Amino acid sequence: MSLITEEKIVDADWLICSGCRSLVYRRRFADELHVCPSCGHHDRLSAPDRLAMLLDAGSWRLLESRPAPVFDPLGFADSRPYPERIREAREATGLEEAVLCARGAIQGQPVVAAVMDFRFLGGSLGSATGELITRAAETALAERVPLLLVTASGGARMQEGLFSLMQMAKTSQALAELDEAGILTLTLITDPTYGGVAASFTTLTDIMIAEPGARMGFAGRRVIEQTIGQTLPADFQTAEFLLAHGLIDGIQPRRQQRATLGRLLSLGAPRPPAPPADDEAVVRDPGLLQPREAWAAVRLARELGRPTTLDYAGYMLDGFVELHGDRMSADCPAIVGGVGWLDGMPVMLIGHQKGHGTHELIARNFGRATPEGHRKVARLMRTAAKLGIPIVTLIDTQGAEPGLIAEEHGQAIAIAENLRQMSGLKVPMVAVVTGEGGSGGALALGVADRVLACENAVYSIISPEGCASILWRDAAEAPRAAAALRLDARELLRLGLIDGVVPEPAGGAHTEPARAAAHLRAAIRSALAELVPLDGATLVRDRRARFRRHGAQACP
């Protein structure tokens, strides 16, 4: 089989990259999986070559599909009859349709793959294409293995009229059935992916990654510019544009795709047994904790050297894959999340990300999540719940982002939706306040089965400065307000507002981050050991009862 390229052939040994127009040695181009070594331009691959590149050698077999007569319900003809165009495409590509479906494995993980081929009438979505993709989804459902979609399409196939449009509904329905069955679905977006393909099965999967520079959208650039009379940004609809606007989870160069997909596919593998409990990992008796001045705890909680969520992910988890975006409009940098493995157990880790220096603090908005950030949290939690993966949240924020744009985008609604969703998720949930836990922005990640706090963390309805400004009309009274709010870990445990305290190294987590992470890892393991054996209904019942009792004594 031969790779299909858009590059201009110079001679038998050289070609011109269509991305940067530089000369590329043909053999090196092939060795680089048809990625330009100069500019990184990812050339198109045929469906057979894509399957050979992604799936383990010798593991894959095409799904059975009998060649059918050309489906031409409209008797359509433009400059040539539609059946003639189909026959031409079949002769040119050696394929029966614009998609090739197979069962196989990626790094040993079983998968059903449906790979589109742009050579076949621009990868357009015809009835046969939709039928084959639907059958691939049905195979994944019957065999209970993940489904991988590799997309490349100009959109729906006009020659089949409304029959083509109906394939959008049919394939979307097939994805819904996989959601209901809790089966992992993945999309690898390649260039280009447009129209009805983008507006149906492509964007309905649990995790979407894209090749660098791959374009995806509903309408094409030229159509949009002609319609609105404006010149669009140079990177419009590219993978980089999509990532910045929260529409995909990540970008993966071709060399890294097999490894990333293999890790993600292992989310569908059988779960290992719960880790053993460690009764000494968490302090549950406030009498065992040293009393400390509340304001000193606030200052330690705000120490810029304290480990962040990404730091903890690196220390505690194997194979962490960060996932991005709310799938609506943005990727809030103050919230990070993704999947990783804790002693072989997959978990969804989600947390605030402040940073360690001025530049990162500004870039991360000081850990203040926007409405898009809270919607990103909700999306990742829904994915974890679908796949039966425990959720771990790390809380470190002075509060949610205030301001005009946050209010315009529904900050209060986004937080409220998170609180409601967390109360009903049927998977184990562990929340840990690792630094500051401020107001609704903290609680938006904090409705969990076990709520812990690191020894030098604080958790409060408002910052001490805010409380002092309102009640004492003087921000300088912040230390007084901190003491009155009882916000340090020892007091929180005494009041029954948290379930336990995670020990820290002497002097604080920032003095020995690796040791602090080891303590946190042990605490999370111990909590999951208690929670993983419980069924979903019990988890929800107990979680709701936990929060139901707070303040109940106010009305005897």
Side-chain angles (χ1 to χ4, degrees):
M1 61 186 73
S2 61
L3 291 166
I4 304 302
T5 82
E6 295 180 296
E7 276 63 22
K8 182 178 179 181
I9 298 173
V10 177
D11 58 31
D13 295 324
W14 296 87
L15 50 79
I16 296 176
C17 170
S18 63
C20 64
R21 312 307 300 170
S22 63
L23 279 173
V24 183
Y25 186 50
R26 183 183 300 280
R27 184 172 296 176
R28 183 180 180 189
F29 189 65
D31 290 342
E32 296 292 336
L33 304 177
H34 281 219
V35 176
C36 176
S38 297
C39 71
H41 169 71
H42 281 54
D43 191 21
R44 292 174 188 158
L45 292 181
S46 70
D49 287 320
R50 183 76 66 173
L51 283 169
M53 184 193 82
L54 289 176
L55 273 62
D56 297 346
S59 75
W60 58 279
R61 298 292 182 271
L62 295 178
L63 298 186
E64 292 182 8
S65 60
R66 292 188 299 273
V70 176
F71 183 68
D72 185 21
L74 309 183
F76 194 95
D78 42 50
S79 58
R80 280 177 293 166
Y82 176 49
E84 187 179 319
R85 290 190 179 276
I86 292 288
R87 283 192 294 272
E88 258 186 22
R90 288 176 173 175
E91 291 171 3
T93 63
L95 303 178
E96 288 296 318
E97 253 300 332
V99 65
L100 206 55
C101 303
R103 60 166 61 84
I106 299 178
Q107 293 196 327
Q109 300 297 329
V111 67
V112 173
V115 181
M116 303 190 74
D117 197 315
F118 195 79
R119 300 175 303 161
F120 197 106
L121 295 182
S124 54
L125 180 61
S127 295
T129 318
E131 180 65 22
L132 291 171
I133 290 169
T134 301
R135 290 182 187 181
E138 290 170 346
T139 301
L141 179 63
E143 299 179 6
R144 298 200 64 82
V145 299
L147 175 69
L148 170 64
L149 302 168
V150 183
T151 60
S153 176
R157 191 171 296 175
M158 293 178 291
Q159 293 92 335
E160 293 185 16
L162 206 56
F163 284 95
S164 175
L165 198 67
M166 292 304 109
Q167 304 312 305
M168 295 170 62
K170 182 166 76 176
T171 54
S172 298
Q173 183 173 281
L175 267 291
E177 292 182 23
L178 292 173
D179 286 340
E180 292 160 4
I183 294 173
L184 176 68
T185 55
L186 306 169
T187 301
L188 172 59
I189 300 163
T190 74
D191 188 61
T193 299
Y194 278 110
V197 170
S200 57
F201 57 90
T202 294
T203 48
L204 293 178
T205 56
D206 300 312
I207 299 172
M208 293 193 295
I209 61 175
E211 289 192 329
R215 295 163 294 165
M216 183 183 76
F218 183 60
R221 181 189 186 96
R222 186 183 307 169
V223 171
I224 296 173
E225 287 185 333
Q226 289 174 350
T227 301
I228 67 176
Q230 296 178 18
T231 300
L232 298 169
D235 68 343
F236 182 68
Q237 295 180 326
T238 64
E240 294 73 19
F241 176 95
L242 298 170
L243 183 63
H245 287 81
L247 301 176
I248 60 174
D249 287 288
I251 300 172
Q252 287 291 322
R254 205 164 277 169
R255 282 278 182 202
Q256 299 174 14
Q257 289 168 11
R258 286 192 76 249
T260 299
L261 290 172
R263 286 199 298 272
L264 293 172
L265 288 170
S266 67
L267 294 173
R271 303 283 187 264
D278 181 356
D279 293 335
E280 297 182 357
V282 177
V283 178
R284 304 182 191 277
D285 180 358
L288 299 177
L289 297 169
Q290 290 294 323
R292 70 172 66 248
E293 182 187 20
W295 186 242
V298 171
R299 295 179 65 182
L300 276 172
R302 293 175 176 174
E303 169 61 51
L304 289 181
R306 290 181 73 84
T308 66
T309 297
L310 289 178
D311 292 333
Y312 281 124
Y315 283 120
M316 298 191 305
L317 302 179
D318 296 321
F320 180 71
V321 179
E322 186 176 356
L323 306 175
H324 295 267
D326 65 350
R327 292 276 178 98
M328 293 175 66
S329 61
D331 181 40
C332 174
I335 293 287
V336 297
V339 291
W341 284 259
L342 181 69
D343 293 337
M345 174 181 292
V347 298
M348 181 70 78
L349 178 70
I350 306 169
H352 297 100
Q353 182 74 13
K354 282 183 178 178
H356 294 300
T358 302
H359 178 76
E360 190 178 3
L361 284 168
I362 294 171
R364 297 283 184 178
N365 198 33
F366 298 87
R368 299 193 302 259
T370 62
E372 293 78 9
H374 291 125
R375 293 183 180 113
K376 174 181 175 180
V377 170
R379 180 180 80 81
L380 296 180
M381 287 186 174
R382 284 194 299 272
T383 298
K386 170 191 164 178
L387 301 175
I389 298 172
I391 297 168
V392 176
T393 64
L394 304 183
I395 297 166
D396 186 14
T397 182
Q398 287 188 357
E401 169 63 16
L404 175 62
I405 295 176
E407 293 300 317
E408 288 177 342
H409 292 188
Q411 182 70 286
I413 296 170
I415 292 172
E417 291 286 355
N418 277 19
L419 303 183
R420 176 170 62 180
Q421 176 175 277
M422 284 185 286
S423 75
L425 294 175
K426 296 182 179 181
V427 291
M429 299 179 64
V430 179
V432 186
V433 184
T434 58
E436 283 186 281
S439 191
L443 189 61
L445 276 69
V447 181
D449 303 298
R450 298 290 184 271
V451 180
L452 309 175
C454 290
E455 188 175 358
N456 293 307
V458 296
Y459 195 6
S460 174
I461 189 172
I462 192 173
S463 70
E465 294 88 346
C467 178
S469 296
I470 293 170
L471 298 183
W472 283 276
R473 300 185 183 279
D474 183 1
E477 294 288 341
R480 182 181 175 189
L485 287 167
R486 311 288 185 189
L487 45 61
D488 63 282
R490 184 175 186 272
E491 284 296 288
L492 294 169
L493 184 59
R494 183 183 67 80
L495 293 168
L497 292 165
I498 60 175
D499 301 303
V501 174
V502 182
E504 292 189 26
H510 61 288
T511 62
E512 296 182 73
R515 188 175 168 202
H519 287 312
L520 181 59
R521 180 173 172 272
I524 292 170
R525 277 172 45 96
S526 184
L528 290 177
E530 298 172 356
L531 298 170
V532 167
L534 303 179
D535 62 82
T538 301
L539 289 167
V540 171
R541 182 199 66 203
D542 291 351
R543 188 184 310 140
R544 288 177 174 172
R546 183 193 185 285
F547 285 88
R548 173 67 179 83
R549 69 172 179 264
H550 289 320
Q553 61 272 36
C555 298

